[in-house]
Amino acid sequence: MPNKQNNKFLNALIRKTSLSFAFYGIFCLMTVTSAQNYTRLGIPNSSVFPSSVTQTEVVATTHPYFSDLIFLSANAISFAPQFFVSEGIYVSTDGGTTFSGTDTCSGGPSIAFHGGDPGVAIDKDGNFVITRNGKIPLYGLYSHRSTDKGRTWSNAKAITNVELERAWLASDQRLISPYYGRIYAVWVRYSPPYPLVFSYTDDGGLNWSAVTQINSPTDRNYGGGIVVDFIGNIYTVWAAVTSTSPFTEKYTGFAKSTNGGNTWNVTENAFVTNGIQGVLPTKQNIRVNSNPQLAMDYIDGMSTPWLYVITTQKNTSVAGSDPDIIFNRSTDAGVTWSEGIRVNQDPLNNGKIQFFPAMTVDIYGGINVIYYDDRATTSDSAGVFLARSLDHGNTWTEYEISDRNFKPTPIGGLGQGYQGDNISIVSDNNFLHPFWMDNRSGIYQIQTVKIPLSTVGVSDKSPIAPADYKMGNATPNPFNPQTSFTLDIPALSDVQISLFDSRGTLVNTIFKGTKDSGVHHFTINGSNLSSGVYFVTAQMGTKRLTQKIILLK
């Protein structure tokens, strides 16, 4: 984040906020007029960590095995009595119902040298890792590590001394990956030719590899996103921008590595975009961008992962004259990309503005995108919407998830129009957890709402008819207490799904009955089981499929 400074500040008092699901009976789903083409969720919002410190640019991650553990960070900005920019630490151990934490990362050196722009990850051992920018004279990227769920942090580990905007992190969480446990970081280096660069840690942030360059661009790059698939392949995206201010995004770049980042297959122009980098005059000239956000469909039972990218665009073949959220898809691991698909369903060219999208894929293969949207308020204000697709992005259903609108305003002293540059969303088991900043309290604070997937349309099976029987990898694995997997069924079949322990003893029958053709989703609950190795078996006539799962408590 350019032009940000910081100084020492007393830690804010820990407060917990809760979402009362008793309100569901009162605030049930309310469908507004069909012309509006969205549904209003009546679930009250909650402030993650109410304080007197400004909070923006939230990033979030979940524990690879314990789905109730959610780790957030954000730019935490104090103006008085002393000025600082730090990294908020906010943690939930009950699946997003309550959060505790602090507005300052305690890792040394002094908070005076912290510069915000955090990236977050949780490694295979449950250690928290955060990266953040440094402040003059300690420019560059630094990491801290916590072994106690964010209560205390290590001293800073230097990764690079070259300026950057923000690093994005991804953790390799699959036992079958040759790089299991590794955490990757990607970012754009702020020196010509402004390439995307890369580093990794194999020991939870204690040490980092030398920084290497992913691409050799002819156009300045900006932003970045990264995911890791089942077998350790890495995928990353970035924006290529125009050479003059406001550096509008003009296409999305893509790279893939199959050897832990040693080499990369780079496509500088994966698909064309027309971004919105600059300011929004109708919204008090707040600064916005169209940095690509990347997600992967891990659980659809497909041999090749599907990759999803969202951007904000205008004046294209699918985006109107006002900013719209645009979705692109690759079904061949990034070799080719679809044409853009418009996510927001309001009428084209209606003057309504959508911006700052964030995306996650849930256990049912649903694609979930949140963004600011002003169609339910005046042009100088905004609320937050969720768009959800259950058919790999072909069609979308929209929900208004914020319980009130707000009027965006720039935060003074932090660069032209700055109010934060991104929001975030994660999923765990049967819930979505969106996080955004608004100024309803008088200053920007992180808001959330815990959304049961049952309220936004869960389909037991995909409309795609599979060619053969196939069991998708359980996610997560190891797990505690639940894991889910898919089962491809090409034709109407009698199905029995059984769980066996490591000795081959039947532990439980997960399902017994008939299923028609499609990609079906099943969940195993290990709450009443002991830690250990189990085998889940699907029997369809003479066809038998088995996979190993590990319960860790």
Side-chain angles (χ1 to χ4, degrees):
M1 184 175 64
N3 302 320
K4 299 176 186 173
Q5 300 176 349
N6 49 42
N7 211 324
K8 190 175 180 181
F9 182 75
L10 296 176
N11 288 351
L13 294 176
I14 295 177
R15 293 183 59 186
K16 294 184 178 181
T17 59
S18 62
L19 297 172
S20 173
F21 288 95
F23 282 101
Y24 289 173
I26 300 173
F27 295 96
C28 58
L29 292 179
M30 298 182 292
T31 303
V32 295
T33 63
S34 58
Q36 291 174 314
N37 204 24
Y38 64 87
T39 299
R40 180 172 293 120
L41 285 183
I43 308 174
N45 301 165
S46 175
S47 179
V48 166
F49 187 76
S51 75
S52 60
V53 173
T54 296
Q55 303 160 356
T56 71
E57 295 191 34
V58 60
V59 289
T61 190
T62 56
H63 194 286
Y65 315 136
F66 306 105
S67 58
D68 282 345
L69 183 58
I70 305 173
F71 169 34
L72 311 182
S73 187
N75 285 334
I77 307 162
S78 177
F79 292 93
Q82 294 177 311
F83 184 90
F84 71 77
V85 177
S86 185
E87 306 80 38
I89 306 296
Y90 317 115
V91 180
S92 175
T93 60
D94 56 10
T97 300
T98 61
F99 285 85
S100 61
T102 173
D103 281 319
T104 54
C105 176
S106 61
S110 164
I111 196 71
F113 299 107
H114 286 230
D117 283 347
V120 294
I122 304 177
D123 74 7
K124 63 181 179 61
D125 298 318
N127 299 312
F128 288 12
V129 175
I130 187 170
T131 58
R132 51 91 180 167
N133 289 359
K135 175 184 173 288
I136 190 169
L138 301 180
Y139 280 130
L141 182 66
Y142 299 83
S143 73
H144 301 271
R145 168 187 168 145
S146 174
T147 60
D148 56 9
K149 297 182 175 65
R151 289 185 288 273
T152 61
W153 291 87
S154 68
N155 288 333
K157 181 70 177 181
I159 302 174
T160 179
N161 61 0
V162 180
E163 278 194 273
L164 68 153
E165 171 71 9
R166 173 197 299 277
W168 296 92
L169 307 187
S171 180
D172 190 329
Q173 301 174 354
R174 294 292 172 177
L175 286 169
I176 62 174
S177 168
Y179 310 104
Y180 172 58
R182 181 175 286 186
I183 295 174
Y184 298 102
V186 295
W187 66 94
V188 170
R189 184 167 60 205
Y190 274 12
S191 61
Y194 300 95
L196 194 73
V197 297
F198 163 85
S199 181
Y200 65 84
T201 174
D202 283 322
D203 53 16
L206 292 175
N207 299 280
W208 289 82
S209 70
V211 176
T212 57
Q213 188 169 314
I214 291 177
N215 67 331
S216 299
T218 56
D219 294 292
R220 180 173 179 154
N221 292 165
Y222 197 73
I226 182 170
V227 296
V228 185
D229 72 12
F230 284 140
I231 58 175
N233 296 324
I234 315 166
Y235 308 88
T236 184
V237 294
W238 61 91
V241 303
T242 56
S243 58
T244 57
S245 180
F247 305 110
T248 305
E249 303 88 355
K250 59 182 182 178
Y251 56 82
T252 296
F254 171 80
K256 174 183 177 180
S257 176
T258 60
N259 55 13
N262 289 329
T263 59
W264 294 86
N265 182 9
V266 176
T267 305
E268 293 288 1
N269 187 345
F271 53 87
V272 174
T273 62
N274 188 35
I276 64 165
Q277 183 83 245
V279 299
L280 293 178
T282 61
K283 292 185 171 28
Q284 295 66 245
N285 288 313
I286 60 168
R287 188 179 80 197
V288 292
N289 64 68
S290 185
N291 297 335
Q293 302 286 310
L294 175 66
M296 176 183 293
D297 197 335
Y298 290 94
I299 49 82
D300 227 27
M302 296 175 287
S303 58
T304 300
W306 287 24
L307 300 173
Y308 306 133
V309 171
I310 48 171
T311 55
T312 311
Q313 300 184 39
K314 62 181 180 180
N315 296 323
T316 70
S317 60
V318 291
S321 55
D322 48 73
D324 291 314
I325 310 302
I326 305 301
F327 172 87
N328 291 82
R329 174 182 62 221
S330 174
T331 62
D332 52 16
V335 177
T336 61
W337 292 85
S338 70
E339 295 296 321
I341 298 171
R342 189 169 179 262
V343 172
N344 48 291
Q345 300 298 295
D346 53 317
L348 196 67
N349 301 320
N350 66 345
K352 298 300 182 180
I353 293 174
Q354 290 79 29
F355 62 101
F356 282 174
M359 176 170 50
T360 190
V361 179
D362 61 52
I363 63 171
Y364 296 99
I367 309 170
N368 305 278
V369 180
I370 61 167
Y371 43 89
Y372 291 120
D373 194 313
D374 64 6
R375 79 183 80 167
T377 184
T378 53
S379 60
D380 63 350
S381 299
V384 181
F385 276 55
L386 163 73
R388 178 168 164 82
S389 175
L390 287 169
D391 57 7
H392 304 291
N394 291 323
T395 61
W396 297 85
T397 303
E398 289 185 287
Y399 305 86
E400 184 185 14
I401 63 174
S402 53
D403 62 7
R404 67 182 67 184
N405 300 309
F406 74 104
K407 185 176 179 178
T409 55
I411 303 170
L414 297 175
Q416 182 188 20
Y418 176 77
Q419 64 131 32
D421 291 327
N422 60 271
I423 56 180
S424 188
I425 181 172
V426 295
S427 62
D428 71 89
N429 289 332
N430 291 302
F431 292 91
L432 297 174
H433 303 279
F435 302 98
W436 68 93
M437 60 269 185
D438 72 30
N439 57 13
R440 67 178 67 187
S441 67
I443 60 172
Y444 280 99
Q445 297 269 277
I446 304 304
Q447 301 292 324
T448 189
V449 56
K450 185 173 180 178
I451 304 174
L453 288 177
S454 59
T455 67
V456 290
V458 172
S459 174
D460 172 62
K461 72 181 190 72
S462 163
I464 298 175
D468 197 3
Y469 293 102
K470 184 176 182 180
M471 183 184 290
N473 292 317
T475 303
N477 188 22
F479 69 99
N480 181 32
Q482 291 185 330
T483 187
S484 300
F485 64 94
T486 57
L487 185 64
D488 291 21
I489 300 176
L492 183 69
S493 302
D494 292 326
V495 179
Q496 180 166 328
I497 299 177
S498 306
L499 185 66
F500 298 89
D501 63 20
S502 59
R503 298 183 298 274
T505 303
L506 178 65
V507 174
N508 194 11
T509 298
I510 306 302
F511 176 83
K512 186 175 182 179
T514 301
K515 289 287 186 181
D516 59 4
S517 65
V519 180
H520 297 264
H521 299 261
F522 298 91
T523 298
I524 297 173
N525 191 324
S527 298
N528 297 322
L529 301 177
S530 302
S531 295
V533 175
Y534 294 87
F535 294 90
V536 57
T537 296
Q539 187 79 44
M540 291 79 57
T542 59
K543 187 72 171 181
R544 183 181 178 91
L545 302 171
T546 299
Q547 69 171 303
K548 180 172 73 173
I549 58 176
I550 300 173
L551 175 61
L552 292 180
K553 290 188 173 181

